Amino acid sequence: MKIDASRLQKEIDELSLISENPAPVVTRVLFSEADLAGRAYVKKLCVEAGLTVREDAVGNTFARWEGTDKNAPAVATGSHIDAIPNAGKYDGVVGVLGALEAIRSLQQSGFKPQRSIELITFTAEEPTRFGIGCLGSRLMAGTLSPEKIASLRDREGNNLEYWRKQAGFTKGDASSVRLAKNAYSNFVELHIEQGPILEQKNLAIGIVEKIAAPSSLRLHLTGVGGHAGAVLMPERHDALLAGAEIALAVERAALTTGSPDTVGTTGVFRIEPGAVNSVPCRATLEIDLRDTQLATRDSALKQIESAAADICKKRGIGLELERVNVDAPAICDAKLVELISGICAEKKISSLKMISRAYHDSLFMAQICPTTMIFIPCRGGVSHRPDEYSSPEQIETGVTVLAETLRRLAK
Ligand code: GLV
Ligand code: MN
Ligand code: MN
């Protein structure tokens, strides 16, 4: 098997230029022009590789290399190409274009898969438009109720139904995306680590045993606006100040669970009307809270919710609090982890079994079929930033391990 690392790098570079912002910044928000153009680019490469491409009702894209046994569940791999604002070029993309390179290298080696191999490009792994991550894979796993799907709105108030049709995905509806349990024999996602461990330990590959449990909250605070000169301080109900206290409560909750793995972030904080001489009357906060253990994550979540209620009561602020998602961790398939660990050992590639602190579509694919992830190092552990970087050699090693894994699973 021969991986063409320079072809792959050229494609990663080309895709990175399809962005809402100039290089080196990559921004591809779900169903933006850049997201649609990025999808078109990936589909073109898949068709050139002889894969059969289909899309579901929300734009999850499946590129299939047909195996000799058409009835056996396929082996799946893939990741996402949407990118948060001000992102880099490797998050998700390495698992899509890297998987395509793995497939091409298997084709060129003369391998004939018995099980079909499908490369999935998931819709909206990133939560930017609707505030909820892993939208495509959540729908595949059937974890969202029709009410929840209907309640998803972006900042402009447009819903998923509006956006998917706008993007040209007009057939079926969001609930038709659901897959049967064991629709695939396995799912393996290649991804950059998004943390510093592999680089620090000078290791080439991480094999994921568990994915930390994410959750997120959206808070709408309603205070009383007014003239910044005229409304005296004791009379104020300032929505921003309540939000600021809540953001500090998030930090406190994450720091005091007793677990070093609890992390809390207030990543969105918008105020209205946003004028220097006007008391903020409304604030919207979006809070991300995660942990590798459910007990500590859930206790921090309760602490944040009760702090928000107390703060708003004290300040005379109206509070609407929505739990956007509260997910369990994913336990990866032990046999699959051992298979990949064995492949690394045979190829004399250093590896480590590890936890993923970031979430991934694998979190939900694990509810459908035996799943794991292959991590490669990234410089300084940096991700969700334009200076995110993995070298062509690091990527090539990841693709080599993925290709051999797919070969074994499809045989
Ligand atoms: C994925 O992008 C995450 O936020 O973990
Ligand atoms: Mn990401
Ligand atoms: Mn990602």
Side-chain angles (χ1 to χ4, degrees), residues 146-176:
E147 297 74 37
K148 183 80 183 178
I149 297 169
S151 77
L152 297 174
R153 292 269 187 288
D154 69 4
R155 282 183 199 184
E156 282 72 46
N158 293 315
N159 62 15
L160 175 60
E161 200 54 19
Y162 166 86
W163 269 113
R164 73 179 186 93
K165 290 192 170 151
Q166 190 77 7
F169 303 109
T170 51
K171 289 203 198 100
D173 61 16
S175 60
S176 69

Side-chain angles (χ1 to χ4, degrees), residues 219-228 231 236-243 269-275 277-285 312 315-319:
L219 281 68
H220 295 288
L221 311 187
T222 309
V224 181
H227 195 289
V231 184
R236 292 199 180 189
H237 301 281
D238 183 324
L240 176 142
L241 293 177
F269 193 158
R270 287 194 300 273
I271 55 162
E272 293 171 49
N277 55 352
S278 183
V279 179
C281 59
R282 272 186 294 274
T284 303
L285 279 72
C312 288
R315 289 181 169 272
I317 300 281
L319 169 66

Side-chain angles (χ1 to χ4, degrees), residues 238-253:
D238 183 324
L240 176 142
L241 293 177
E245 271 201 68
I246 292 169
L248 291 172
V250 170
E251 181 190 39
R252 202 161 44 247

Side-chain angles (χ1 to χ4, degrees), residues 84-85 127-132 155 216-221 240 243-244 246-247 250 264-271 283-288 324:
I84 64 160
T128 313
R129 184 172 296 284
F130 292 116
I132 188 164
R155 282 183 199 184
S216 63
L217 300 174
R218 185 180 295 124
L219 281 68
H220 295 288
L221 311 187
L240 176 142
I246 292 169
V250 170
T265 308
T266 303
V268 170
F269 193 158
R270 287 194 300 273
I271 55 162
T284 303
L285 279 72
E286 290 179 27
I287 295 165
D288 179 304
V324 178

